[in-house]
Amino acid sequence: MTRGLLVAAVGAAALALAATAQAGARIDAAVASLKSDPVYVDPSAELAIGAADQARLRQKIDTAGAGPVYIAILPLATEQETGGDPDGVMQELHDGVGRPGTYAVVVGRHFRAGSEGVLQPGAAGRLATEALDAHRGDGVAATLLDFVDRVAEAQQNGGVAPSGGGGSEPGTGGGVLIGLLAVGAIGFVAFRAVRSRRRTQAELAEVKAAAHDDLIALADDVQKLEQPVESNAPAKQEYEAALTNYEEASGAYDRATRTKQLEGVASALEEGRYHMAAAEALLAGEKPPERRAPCFFDPRHGPSTRDVEWAPPGGAPRKVPACEADAQAVERGLEPASRQVVAGGRTVPYWSAPPYFGPWAGGYFMPFGGMGFLSGLFVGELLGGAYGGWGAGSWGGSGNSGGFGSWSGDSGGSDFGGGMDFGGGDFGGGGSGGGGGGDF
């Protein structure tokens, strides 16, 4: 891989970060909160809801099976951070959080909704409009609770917002009933297939997001060595090897269509991390480090220096490989900051993520025994899912879905990106917008 390509990759990441940074203080606060909490309410919002209603809304999101849902209630002034457009506020929240899901925002008295990876295009907007129409005068909390229920129902319908109407023709007989049953059976089989495919796509998107973060981190770190290694031939050789590993990882990432294929991404990144550590040691006049398993707490820390005894909350002590800084933290009785990933809207340590993260994480340890190494190491495996993330189960088994935002929910089309397709309306006077809606 040429240095120009690496600089371009890092530059693209910097542009993405800069785009997020352009959002104002209110949006930044909402984004930071939504990354760990599905409901954010700015106290200065015109239609702010109380703590009790917020708790009801969180519980609804957690139990309704609506897939990842993010809701923000913001003051009208927030529109000025995106050019005076509530749709722009929605887009900034989505881009800032950076996760698939259904997003709903109340900006002043405007209600907007959109979805990526959960509902089909346009469905979130129609559901927002329907919830608003059904609860004129009932208030924001009632509208949002109903909206989450409608999203959950649409999930069960393959990501499509159910349409109203219906009824039967008079005089229909048993033949029609048999036909309906046959169509229903075919539809059920098709629905199961679509649901499975979309769940797989949603899982792949989550794991690829983690792998992408790792790619950017290595590219950024390796780039810092570009100038220093020019005067040190052995260090430059290690630097070039790290670039080659980055190219391998990037290619594997681009080709990946299943979570299993992300194992190669992590494996190449692990080797690249080692070569980078070797280059840094040579620049410091030291010998390259021993080729050891990466740091358990965060493989991006590079090769471990030694094993340290560590016990997770509720788990038995276990020897894990750690970088020197994390090893010393454990020995001082501190809990090192573990690599975090996002699964279904919840941020968790990568070693307690759902089973479909297994191949990616296992790739870091593949040269050291792969999953056989992990089976005696990872907490999800050790505790059989008890610490595997809100009922997620361990990487060694199938796991069960559930919990925050229902991470195993279906996925579908996207309303975000080019051609935004928002919907909703306004609370109070002022007409509707963004694809529909009405007034309370």
Side-chain angles (χ1 to χ4, degrees), residues 132-338:
L132 187 58
D133 288 343
H135 292 278
R136 297 178 188 275
D138 294 338
V140 176
T143 302
L144 293 175
L145 288 166
D146 183 44
F147 173 72
V148 174
D149 280 333
R150 291 174 187 270
V151 172
E153 183 180 357
Q155 279 271 50
Q156 298 171 7
N157 196 37
V160 180
S163 58
S168 58
E169 295 285 340
T172 56
V176 174
L177 178 60
I178 293 174
L180 290 174
L181 290 174
V183 171
I186 294 172
F188 176 75
V189 172
F191 167 72
R192 288 288 298 274
V194 169
R195 181 173 181 170
S196 176
R197 182 173 66 253
R198 288 177 175 165
R199 180 170 58 247
T200 299
Q201 291 171 346
E203 292 172 355
L204 175 64
E206 290 182 349
V207 184
K208 289 197 80 169
H212 182 264
D213 289 345
D214 292 353
L215 279 168
I216 295 301
L218 179 63
D220 193 28
D221 290 345
V222 171
Q223 188 188 31
K224 295 173 184 176
L225 295 178
E226 182 175 3
Q227 294 302 322
V229 299
E230 288 300 323
S231 59
N232 188 313
K236 186 174 182 179
Q237 185 175 1
E238 296 290 351
Y239 167 81
E240 296 289 350
L243 285 180
T244 299
N245 293 138
Y246 176 84
E247 181 180 11
E248 293 172 357
S250 182
Y253 175 89
D254 291 338
R255 293 188 299 271
T257 58
R258 295 180 293 118
T259 56
K260 171 64 178 174
Q261 294 170 320
L262 291 168
E263 181 179 69
V265 176
S267 179
L269 288 174
E270 181 278 326
E271 186 172 354
R273 283 282 172 192
Y274 171 77
H275 286 300
M276 191 182 74
E280 290 174 337
L282 291 167
L283 287 172
E286 302 171 355
K287 293 177 58 177
E290 177 187 358
R291 184 71 186 274
R292 285 178 50 92
C295 177
F296 166 74
F297 299 101
D298 191 339
R300 295 175 299 184
H301 293 172
S304 59
T305 58
R306 54 195 173 98
D307 293 343
V308 63
E309 192 171 79
W310 169 80
R318 184 73 54 140
K319 288 283 188 179
V320 297
C323 65
E324 188 60 31
D326 285 346
Q328 291 183 20
V330 172
E331 290 170 346
R332 292 196 302 270
L334 303 176
E335 182 69 19
S338 292

Side-chain angles (χ1 to χ4, degrees), residues 17-32:
L17 290 174
T20 300
Q22 290 174 358
R26 292 185 180 88
I27 291 178
D28 287 344
V31 166

Side-chain angles (χ1 to χ4, degrees), residues 341-429:
V341 297
V342 177
R346 171 169 283 183
T347 302
V348 297
Y350 80 110
W351 39 259
S352 69
Y356 52 85
F357 278 85
W360 160 74
Y364 278 108
F365 299 90
M366 189 163 59
F368 310 97
M371 294 306 292
F373 179 71
L374 295 178
S375 66
L377 174 65
F378 271 59
V379 176
E381 185 84 9
L382 294 175
L383 304 185
Y387 199 65
W390 67 102
S394 74
W395 287 348
S398 60
N400 297 311
S401 65
F404 187 91
S406 186
W407 53 257
S408 68
D410 300 333
S411 62
S414 171
D415 293 345
F416 293 97
M420 292 182 296
D421 189 3
F422 301 123
D426 299 339
F427 294 89

Side-chain angles (χ1 to χ4, degrees), residues 118-139:
V118 176
L119 303 180
Q120 293 187 4
R126 291 194 299 274
L127 296 175
T129 301
E130 292 170 4
L132 187 58
D133 288 343
H135 292 278
R136 297 178 188 275
D138 294 338

